[in-house]
Amino acid sequence: MKQFIRSIAAGALGLACGFAQADALQVRSLAASCSACHGTNGVAQPGMESLAGKSKDDLLTKLLDYKTGKKPATLMHQLAKGYTDEQLEQMAGYFAALKK
């Protein structure tokens, strides 16, 4: 019986790790859409803002301001509206964790 319970617990732990990995991959996929303007891995070419290594809070504030229209933009306000606040927070965290 103890072996059965251990097997169930190990399976549940493995499943939870699988979901965590899928979430990380999903966030990376969401962030990939930013690469056209902000560069691969968040390091942009001159003339565009790099996102890598910026403060998560600053990035999230900007993204939410774009989404609500508080911050004017030519394109970002349209793009930000396509994501949930949670997705914007995840992407801000992703770019904040990257090296400059």
Side-chain angles (χ1 to χ4, degrees):
M1 184 64 167
K2 286 183 182 180
Q3 183 62 28
F4 176 73
I5 292 173
R6 286 185 186 142
S7 296
I8 296 296
L13 180 60
L15 187 60
C17 290
F19 284 130
Q21 180 65 22
D23 288 346
L25 292 175
Q26 182 180 23
V27 172
R28 189 174 77 178
S29 294
L30 290 172
S33 65
C34 306
S35 67
C37 298
H38 297 284
T40 305
N41 294 322
V43 179
Q45 295 296 316
M48 192 57 73
E49 182 178 4
S50 289
L51 303 177
K54 300 263 181 160
S55 160
K56 178 183 175 181
D57 291 336
D58 289 345
L59 288 171
L60 182 58
T61 298
K62 284 183 181 181
L63 289 168
L64 292 173
D65 286 349
Y66 284 130
K67 185 175 180 177
T68 61
K70 186 176 179 181
K71 185 170 179 68
T74 56
L75 184 62
M76 279 301 301
H77 65 291
Q78 297 284 347
L79 296 173
K81 289 178 185 176
Y83 297 101
T84 66
D85 292 355
E86 181 182 6
Q87 289 171 325
L88 293 175
E89 182 177 3
Q90 291 169 341
M91 288 191 287
Y94 174 82
F95 284 112
L98 296 176
K99 294 186 180 195
K100 291 183 180 183

